[in-house]
Amino acid sequence: MTIGALGQATGVGAETIRYYERIELLPQPARTSGGYRVYRPEHVRRLNFIRRSRELGLSIDAVRELLSLASDRLRPCARVDRLVRDHIHDLDHKIEGLQKLRSALQRLADSCRGGGRVSECRILEALQEAEEALAGPDVECAEEDCAGRRASDKQPKPRRERRA
Amino acid sequence: MTIGALGQATGVGAETIRYYERIELLPQPARTSGGYRVYRPEHVRRLNFIRRSRELGLSIDAVRELLSLASDRLRPCARVDRLVRDHIHDLDHKIEGLQKLRSALQRLADSCRGGGRVSECRILEALQEAEEALAGPDVECAEEDCAGRRASDKQPKPRRERRA
DNA sequence: GCTAGACCTTGTAGCGACTACAGGGTCAAG
DNA sequence: CTTGACCCTGTAGTCGCTACAAGGTCTAGC
């Protein structure tokens, strides 16, 4: 089957399939004399595995690991279990963060009736003014994994203070 | 103050500040004769506004709009209110999607005790086998907004079927 | 055999919101 | 005048695709 047929069979776009091949998530298929990719049933199975894993929110690297684990049928499946449970934990953190965020925003929105002028808008005030205004139980940095976004954490060396 | 001092004052990294300047979220500051950026208190206020909005998960474009709205003190603040409420809705969708995902994964994890071998791992089976295995109440595609990932939706023209 | 046109090929650039370098220049304390 | 913390610009990388451009291949139907 061609790349289009594989796409139909799995619900994955052709460009995504080529992308998976480029990052070596899918093995290189055979080619016709004209250079067309020719896929076989095992490609369908592998790509379906990938799609389902991705739909569950697993990262490409996690999928890669799962595929490698799955290839050795005698290996204990504890690692598989671990991978999935870790991902559940990640999701829990993410969900919790978003819920905090949501209530902070809700508090913000509740403080504004929307009928006034910008000059007396509580939302804009809260964003402009002091830190505590909308700091519920510790919001900050809920979107994604937030890898080291806090530049203020690192405190390198005591330097003279410039005209601050 | 220099870019480093502004970073300290706001908790935003210097590289991010330069990035904000490049995308015109922060105005270009004055410069020393040597080319150093020189910031003033209004930059601190604006950058704090930006940081807080970002921490609440608002997109750069939303922040841009908020800043522009905030600059006209006589304008009605209905649009501000709308922007924030829309974002709350987005969050609701996101949270819901992640929760569905979580329960699908939990079901998966519950089916595996982690003590067996890969060959009898229910998790890997579920990822490999039929569609219904782990389709709880309609999972698919919860991460982010999932913009048109389903390639199988478009069904262009009836073409001859190749050797499929 | 030939044409039409659906399908395929490679390569590159873009998305959002940064982050991380490399290779150099500036600044102020001592 | 040296030291070295700090700053500059520019470019490339992150993640997981998606979209395009310019061209080549394939087969149904004539």
XYZ file of all heavy atoms in Angstrom, chain A residues 93-152:
447
model
N -0.552 16.599 37.640
C 0.060 17.903 37.894
C -0.524 18.960 36.970
O -0.867 20.067 37.382
C 1.569 17.828 37.677
C 2.287 17.116 38.774
N 2.021 17.337 40.109
C 3.260 16.168 38.748
C 2.800 16.562 40.848
N 3.556 15.830 40.041
N -0.619 18.572 35.722
C -1.094 19.501 34.707
C -2.526 19.928 35.013
O -2.865 21.112 34.975
C -1.044 18.798 33.353
C -0.731 19.702 32.193
C -0.286 18.830 31.028
C 0.106 19.636 29.818
N 0.728 18.807 28.788
N -3.353 18.953 35.324
C -4.758 19.237 35.607
C -4.877 20.142 36.827
O -5.608 21.140 36.814
C -5.546 17.919 35.844
C -5.683 17.145 34.533
C -6.922 18.220 36.428
C -6.228 15.731 34.688
N -4.098 19.824 37.845
C -4.136 20.623 39.067
C -3.745 22.070 38.771
O -4.400 23.015 39.211
C -3.173 20.016 40.083
C -3.396 20.490 41.501
C -2.255 20.023 42.418
O -1.388 19.247 41.944
O -2.232 20.450 43.571
N -2.659 22.213 38.006
C -2.199 23.558 37.650
C -3.273 24.326 36.909
O -3.550 25.497 37.215
N -3.888 23.672 35.946
C -4.916 24.348 35.153
C -6.108 24.725 36.020
O -6.727 25.774 35.820
C -5.368 23.448 34.003
C -4.338 23.253 32.890
C -4.910 22.363 31.798
C -3.916 24.582 32.301
N -6.418 23.888 37.004
C -7.563 24.198 37.860
C -7.276 25.407 38.748
O -8.140 26.260 38.950
C -7.941 22.982 38.703
C -8.906 22.072 37.964
C -9.013 20.697 38.580
O -8.190 20.305 39.416
N -10.010 19.935 38.144
N -6.038 25.495 39.236
C -5.650 26.673 40.012
C -5.765 27.925 39.159
O -6.261 28.968 39.580
C -4.213 26.519 40.510
C -4.099 25.691 41.769
C -2.667 25.691 42.274
C -2.500 24.711 43.430
N -1.078 24.298 43.560
N -5.241 27.791 37.958
C -5.280 28.875 37.002
C -6.703 29.331 36.775
O -7.016 30.525 36.770
C -4.761 28.328 35.676
C -3.827 29.215 34.925
C -2.673 29.589 35.820
C -3.316 28.486 33.712
N -7.562 28.336 36.577
C -8.946 28.631 36.281
C -9.582 29.413 37.417
O -10.303 30.388 37.191
C -9.718 27.329 36.065
C -11.089 27.562 35.490
C -12.053 26.447 35.757
N -13.342 26.740 35.151
C -14.205 27.621 35.625
N -13.913 28.341 36.698
N -15.348 27.824 35.012
N -9.310 29.009 38.654
C -9.980 29.708 39.741
C -9.392 31.109 39.934
O -10.120 32.040 40.293
C -9.939 28.892 41.032
O -8.624 28.543 41.348
N -8.100 31.249 39.646
C -7.515 32.598 39.711
C -8.205 33.504 38.697
O -8.586 34.635 38.995
C -6.014 32.527 39.444
N -8.378 32.982 37.492
C -9.028 33.769 36.445
C -10.485 34.039 36.796
O -11.014 35.121 36.524
C -8.952 33.027 35.117
C -7.678 33.251 34.314
C -7.686 32.365 33.087
C -7.556 34.712 33.906
N -11.123 33.041 37.389
C -12.526 33.206 37.737
C -12.680 34.316 38.778
O -13.563 35.170 38.665
C -13.077 31.886 38.302
C -14.585 31.893 38.526
C -15.343 32.007 37.198
O -15.259 31.127 36.366
N -16.062 33.116 36.996
N -11.788 34.319 39.748
C -11.808 35.369 40.761
C -11.653 36.732 40.093
O -12.334 37.701 40.417
C -10.670 35.155 41.764
C -11.152 34.669 43.129
C -9.982 34.362 44.026
N -9.299 33.143 43.613
C -7.983 32.983 43.546
N -7.181 33.964 43.898
N -7.476 31.845 43.142
N -10.716 36.748 39.130
C -10.458 37.972 38.384
C -11.727 38.426 37.673
O -12.147 39.577 37.767
C -9.383 37.665 37.344
C -8.384 38.757 37.047
C -7.706 39.175 38.333
C -7.351 38.250 36.060
N -12.330 37.494 36.947
C -13.504 37.830 36.148
C -14.671 38.251 37.043
O -15.437 39.155 36.694
C -13.905 36.632 35.296
N -14.780 37.601 38.213
C -15.880 37.919 39.117
C -15.781 39.349 39.643
O -16.790 39.959 40.000
C -15.887 36.946 40.307
C -16.388 35.567 39.884
O -16.946 35.469 38.772
O -16.212 34.613 40.645
N -14.556 39.856 39.680
C -14.366 41.196 40.234
C -14.743 42.282 39.229
O -14.761 43.449 39.537
C -12.917 41.373 40.683
O -12.076 41.357 39.551
N -15.044 41.861 38.016
C -15.372 42.838 36.977
C -16.757 42.569 36.418
O -17.057 41.460 36.022
C -14.344 42.735 35.841
S -14.674 43.832 34.458
N -17.585 43.580 36.417
C -18.937 43.394 35.856
C -18.946 43.583 34.349
O -19.936 43.333 33.691
C -19.942 44.362 36.497
C -20.254 44.158 37.945
C -21.104 42.906 38.174
N -20.236 41.923 38.762
C -19.854 40.783 38.207
N -20.312 40.404 37.120
N -19.003 39.957 38.745
N -17.859 44.141 33.800
C -17.788 44.323 32.357
C -18.520 45.558 31.873
O -18.493 45.904 30.704
N -19.187 46.246 32.789
C -19.974 47.396 32.365
C -19.255 48.728 32.489
O -19.667 49.720 31.896
N -18.166 48.719 33.270
C -17.479 49.982 33.548
C -16.504 50.395 32.463
O -16.593 49.933 31.330
N -15.614 51.283 32.842
C -14.579 51.733 31.927
C -13.273 51.051 32.285
O -13.093 50.593 33.416
C -14.389 53.257 32.042
C -15.637 54.055 31.806
C -15.827 54.346 30.330
N -17.250 54.614 30.052
C -17.735 54.762 28.816
N -16.939 54.662 27.773
N -19.004 54.987 28.636
N -12.386 51.048 31.337
C -11.078 50.440 31.555
C -10.387 51.045 32.775
O -9.689 50.359 33.519
C -10.213 50.605 30.285
C -8.743 50.513 30.621
C -10.599 49.538 29.262
N -10.623 52.347 32.993
C -9.919 53.029 34.085
C -10.266 52.458 35.449
O -9.521 52.597 36.397
C -10.220 54.529 34.058
O -11.618 54.726 34.131
N -11.438 51.821 35.560
C -11.793 51.257 36.854
C -11.926 49.730 36.794
O -12.572 49.123 37.645
C -13.099 51.867 37.366
C -14.291 51.608 36.475
C -15.183 52.851 36.334
O -14.688 53.968 36.574
O -16.361 52.678 35.968
N -11.328 49.138 35.752
C -11.451 47.692 35.568
C -10.600 46.949 36.583
O -9.390 47.111 36.649
C -11.012 47.301 34.150
S -11.080 45.535 33.855
N -11.234 46.120 37.352
C -10.525 45.369 38.396
C -9.552 44.345 37.809
O -8.529 44.041 38.397
C -11.553 44.647 39.293
C -12.288 45.532 40.279
C -11.379 45.917 41.459
N -10.867 44.736 42.154
C -9.581 44.460 42.307
N -8.675 45.287 41.822
N -9.208 43.383 42.934
N -9.881 43.811 36.641
C -8.995 42.836 36.017
C -7.653 43.469 35.680
O -6.589 42.973 36.064
C -9.635 42.265 34.722
C -10.864 41.428 35.077
C -8.628 41.431 33.957
C -11.557 40.823 33.874
N -7.726 44.585 34.983
C -6.485 45.257 34.595
C -5.726 45.735 35.824
O -4.500 45.622 35.884
C -6.801 46.426 33.656
C -7.344 45.973 32.298
C -7.788 47.174 31.473
C -6.302 45.173 31.547
N -6.470 46.209 36.795
C -5.824 46.614 38.047
C -5.034 45.464 38.648
O -3.871 45.608 39.021
C -6.879 47.045 39.084
C -7.102 48.536 39.161
C -8.271 48.852 40.078
O -8.266 48.386 41.229
O -9.204 49.552 39.625
N -5.695 44.333 38.742
C -5.062 43.177 39.370
C -3.795 42.785 38.619
O -2.788 42.399 39.210
C -6.028 42.005 39.413
N -3.835 42.880 37.293
C -2.661 42.523 36.514
C -1.546 43.548 36.682
O -0.366 43.233 36.574
C -3.041 42.386 35.038
C -3.891 41.166 34.706
C -4.393 41.237 33.276
C -3.095 39.891 34.915
N -1.961 44.802 36.951
C -0.956 45.851 37.055
C -0.358 45.954 38.450
O 0.816 46.239 38.605
C -1.584 47.219 36.709
C -1.496 47.548 35.227
C -2.643 48.415 34.765
O -3.476 48.842 35.559
N -2.681 48.690 33.478
N -1.212 45.710 39.441
C -0.797 46.046 40.802
C -0.045 44.931 41.507
O 0.512 44.059 40.886
C -2.022 46.494 41.616
C -2.729 47.701 41.020
C -1.810 48.908 40.847
O -0.911 49.107 41.687
O -1.984 49.660 39.868
N -0.095 45.005 42.832
C 0.747 44.164 43.683
C 0.599 42.670 43.425
O -0.393 42.209 42.846
C 0.437 44.453 45.148
N 1.600 41.968 43.838
C 1.716 40.537 43.585
C 0.562 39.745 44.197
O 0.085 38.783 43.615
C 3.029 40.033 44.199
C 3.729 38.985 43.382
C 4.185 39.522 42.047
O 4.306 40.762 41.879
O 4.396 38.725 41.150
N 0.127 40.164 45.367
C -0.820 39.364 46.144
C -2.247 39.415 45.584
O -3.075 38.573 45.901
C -0.861 39.814 47.613
C 0.483 39.818 48.303
C 1.335 41.000 47.852
O 0.772 42.090 47.615
O 2.547 40.826 47.704
N -2.489 40.414 44.772
C -3.845 40.673 44.291
C -4.582 39.412 43.844
O -5.729 39.200 44.191
C -3.821 41.682 43.157
N -3.920 38.591 43.064
C -4.627 37.416 42.562
C -3.844 36.141 42.815
O -4.080 35.116 42.186
C -4.955 37.561 41.079
C -3.866 38.036 40.134
C -3.095 36.864 39.610
C -4.507 38.801 38.997
N -2.948 36.213 43.774
C -2.216 35.003 44.112
C -3.041 34.167 45.079
O -2.993 34.362 46.282
C -0.870 35.351 44.745
N -3.812 33.298 44.516
C -4.576 32.367 45.351
C -3.589 31.432 46.017
O -2.466 31.840 46.312
N -3.944 30.167 46.237
C -2.969 29.226 46.773
C -1.914 28.867 45.737
O -1.963 27.815 45.126
C -3.816 28.015 47.182
C -5.150 28.229 46.555
C -5.283 29.632 46.147
N -0.986 29.790 45.524
C 0.193 29.513 44.706
C -0.094 29.103 43.255
O -0.125 27.920 42.944
C 1.016 28.437 45.415
C 2.199 27.990 44.581
O 2.905 28.864 44.048
O 2.352 26.796 44.439
N -0.290 30.071 42.410
C -0.546 29.758 41.006
C 0.759 29.550 40.248
O 1.298 28.483 40.218
C -1.378 30.868 40.322
C -1.517 30.562 38.852
C -2.741 30.941 40.959
N 1.261 30.548 39.677
C 2.464 30.610 38.851
C 2.836 29.359 38.061
O 3.050 28.300 38.587
C 3.669 31.052 39.700
C 4.238 30.015 40.658
C 5.627 30.465 41.117
O 6.399 30.945 40.281
O 5.916 30.356 42.311
N 2.892 29.588 36.772
C 3.565 28.634 35.923
C 2.885 27.272 35.806
O 3.455 26.237 36.147
C 4.967 28.418 36.451
S 6.051 27.637 35.324
N 1.681 27.250 35.314
C 0.981 25.982 35.194
C 1.025 25.422 33.781
O 0.970 24.223 33.587
C -0.458 26.136 35.615
N 1.138 26.291 32.801
C 1.135 25.855 31.402
C 2.337 24.966 31.122
O 3.457 25.318 31.407
C 1.175 27.093 30.498
C 0.716 26.844 29.084
C -0.820 26.791 29.020
O -1.466 26.653 30.080
O -1.346 26.903 27.943
N 2.104 23.797 30.566
C 3.156 22.854 30.207
C 4.035 22.501 31.399
O 3.640 22.588 32.539
C 4.008 23.414 29.057
C 3.193 23.894 27.884
C 2.118 22.893 27.470
O 2.423 21.721 27.322
O 0.955 23.295 27.310
N 5.246 22.129 31.121
C 6.111 21.679 32.192
C 6.939 22.808 32.792
O 7.620 22.637 33.774
C 7.043 20.587 31.701
C 7.820 21.046 30.494
O 7.704 22.231 30.139
O 8.537 20.251 29.924
N 6.919 23.972 32.130
C 7.483 25.151 32.754
C 8.972 25.039 32.996
O 9.508 25.477 33.997
C 6.757 25.381 34.066
S 7.347 26.689 35.078
N 9.695 24.399 32.073
C 11.099 24.070 32.312
C 11.947 25.313 32.594
O 12.302 26.064 31.704
C 11.660 23.331 31.104
N 12.251 25.495 33.851
C 13.188 26.545 34.261
C 12.847 27.941 33.787
O 13.723 28.710 33.416
N 11.557 28.260 33.763
C 11.179 29.580 33.275
C 11.574 30.673 34.272
O 11.841 31.810 33.919
C 9.673 29.607 33.006
C 9.178 30.875 32.384
C 8.330 30.638 31.135
N 7.195 29.774 31.362
C 6.010 30.207 31.750
N 5.800 31.477 31.983
N 5.012 29.381 31.901
N 11.603 30.342 35.529
C 11.965 31.275 36.593
C 13.435 31.641 36.523
O 14.286 30.945 37.035
C 11.725 30.629 37.955
C 10.312 30.666 38.455
C 9.968 32.040 38.952
N 9.598 32.896 37.840
C 8.378 33.008 37.421
N 7.417 32.375 37.975
N 8.125 33.821 36.416
N 13.718 32.779 35.898
C 15.107 33.199 35.799
C 15.609 33.703 37.154
O 16.798 33.694 37.431
C 15.249 34.290 34.760
N 14.673 34.132 37.988
C 15.063 34.707 39.270
C 15.572 33.642 40.248
O 16.114 33.956 41.293
C 13.865 35.425 39.882
O 12.740 34.574 39.848
